[in-house]
Amino acid sequence: MKILVVGDVVGRSGRETLKLFLFKNKMQYDFIIVNGENAANGFGLTPEIADEMLSYGCDVLTSGNHIWDKREIYDYLDNSSRVLKPLNYPVNTPGKGCTILEDKKKHKIAVISLQGRVFMSPIDCPFTRVKEKIDEIRKITKYIIIDFHGEATSEKIAMGWYLDGYISLLYGTHTHVQTADNKILPEGTGYISDVGMTGSDNGIIGMSVESVLPKFLSVLPQKFQLAEGNLRINAIEVEISEETGECTSIKRLNKSFTEVELS
Ligand SMILES: [Fe+2]
Ligand SMILES: [Fe+2]
């Protein structure tokens, strides 16, 4: 089966880039997973924007630390099987961290949204929480895909080795910078430290240079604004064996769009 995973979609320009890409290409994929934590003006997700992104052909929206930025998504998370919070937030937070859905060929695919703890909020241990969940899911399906939303590549690589052979694919999100370490681990799990971001490549991880650079220069709080122009989709294309559930191919996709293509 052929899976598309799209890295953090940032703001309206990110959504438009995603929409155009999927309009032209979605038929070639059996299942599409997109990280939506920055889709609403760079910070969080609203019910309307989640529905809009699902209507483009996304099967699941994963998330991360920014999923809590818009309070109107909280009830929606409780009621959705297609929009996920990270699994290892405290159990009393809204939403689900895992879902099992069918792909085009009726295979059951489990998707888990998970978050790291290095240089991030001290939530529950991702290693312990995910292992418990995988033991549960493996009774239902061998196709398991995890979005590990984290800052530190070391923590993501450690998770890759920890889960090698138990899941089909572990990919990182959150840094908004695509890494060049896509590989298949020895026991058959596909791995990349970060898929990257989708939106304007003309700023600092999706936000304008004018609004972010002063924070580094002065250390004073700044109101971040979305970057504009130079639109880019960062994604991975992954092949998973229908027989074994192992990853057989993981390729980076890094494509820019001109404004003309988008109009
Ligand atoms: Fe993000
Ligand atoms: Fe994030």
Side-chain angles (χ1 to χ4, degrees):
M1 65 187 74
K2 190 172 183 183
I3 315 272
L4 177 75
V5 174
V6 180
D8 302 29
V9 171
V10 181
R12 178 179 295 278
S13 57
R15 301 197 311 269
E16 291 298 316
T17 309
L18 175 73
K19 184 181 180 181
L20 179 72
F21 182 82
L22 291 185
F23 180 72
K24 291 183 173 173
N25 300 286
K26 70 180 174 191
M27 293 310 289
Q28 58 176 296
Y29 304 107
D30 297 310
F31 200 75
I32 297 170
I33 309 169
V34 177
N35 189 300
E37 71 149 8
N38 307 109
N41 205 28
F43 299 93
L45 190 58
T46 63
E48 295 74 21
I49 288 174
D51 286 342
E52 177 196 319
M53 291 170 75
L54 292 170
S55 77
Y56 300 160
C58 308
D59 291 288
V60 182
L61 303 181
T62 55
S63 67
N65 52 310
H66 283 296
I67 191 61
W68 312 114
D69 291 354
K70 302 274 190 288
R71 291 194 70 89
E72 56 266 46
I73 198 72
Y74 289 15
D75 285 346
Y76 183 99
L77 289 175
D78 273 334
N79 296 317
S80 176
S81 58
R82 294 189 179 271
V83 182
L84 302 177
K85 72 165 178 185
L87 176 78
N88 54 322
Y89 270 86
V91 287
N92 58 353
T93 51
K96 306 170 193 76
C98 172
T99 191
I100 300 176
L101 297 166
E102 288 185 345
D103 75 350
K104 274 187 197 158
K105 297 173 191 155
K106 305 286 180 199
H107 298 107
K108 287 192 173 97
I109 300 191
V111 180
I112 299 175
S113 204
L114 191 68
Q115 188 170 306
R117 295 193 297 186
V118 178
F119 308 126
M120 300 189 81
S121 296
I123 54 177
D124 294 350
C125 174
F127 293 86
T128 310
R129 290 286 297 276
V130 81
K131 190 64 170 47
E132 288 165 1
K133 184 54 81 176
I134 290 168
D135 290 344
E136 215 178 278
I137 295 170
R138 281 177 64 91
K139 294 171 190 157
I140 304 167
T141 182
K142 57 182 174 243
Y143 311 118
I144 305 175
I145 297 175
I146 299 181
D147 176 339
F148 190 30
H149 197 79
E151 186 74 38
T153 46
S154 57
E155 190 180 23
K156 299 188 217 184
I157 294 169
M159 186 64 80
W161 285 103
Y162 182 60
L163 298 181
D164 182 24
Y166 288 96
I167 64 171
S168 306
L169 171 69
L170 180 95
Y171 63 90
T173 57
H174 176 70
T175 70
H176 293 201
V177 178
Q178 188 172 76
T179 56
D181 60 343
N182 48 307
K183 67 182 95 169
I184 300 171
L185 293 167
E187 301 299 324
T189 296
Y191 177 83
I192 184 169
S193 291
D194 208 295
V195 175
M197 64 157 270
T198 294
S200 172
D201 195 28
N202 224 9
I204 299 172
I205 61 171
M207 296 293 154
S208 75
V209 174
E210 296 72 26
S211 68
V212 176
L213 190 53
K215 178 161 182 161
F216 286 101
L217 298 176
S218 69
V219 200
L220 296 174
Q222 303 291 331
K223 190 171 176 1
F224 294 158
Q225 310 280 350
L226 287 171
E228 288 175 12
N230 197 10
L231 300 172
R232 182 166 293 276
I233 183 168
N234 278 177
I236 50 171
E237 289 178 335
V238 180
E239 295 274 3
I240 294 172
S241 161
E242 294 178 11
E243 251 173 71
T244 64
E246 291 178 7
C247 178
T248 56
S249 165
I250 174 167
K251 290 181 186 160
R252 281 176 281 130
L253 190 151
N254 183 346
K255 185 174 166 59
S256 66
F257 295 90
T258 65
E259 300 289 346
V260 175
E261 281 175 300
L262 282 168
S263 61

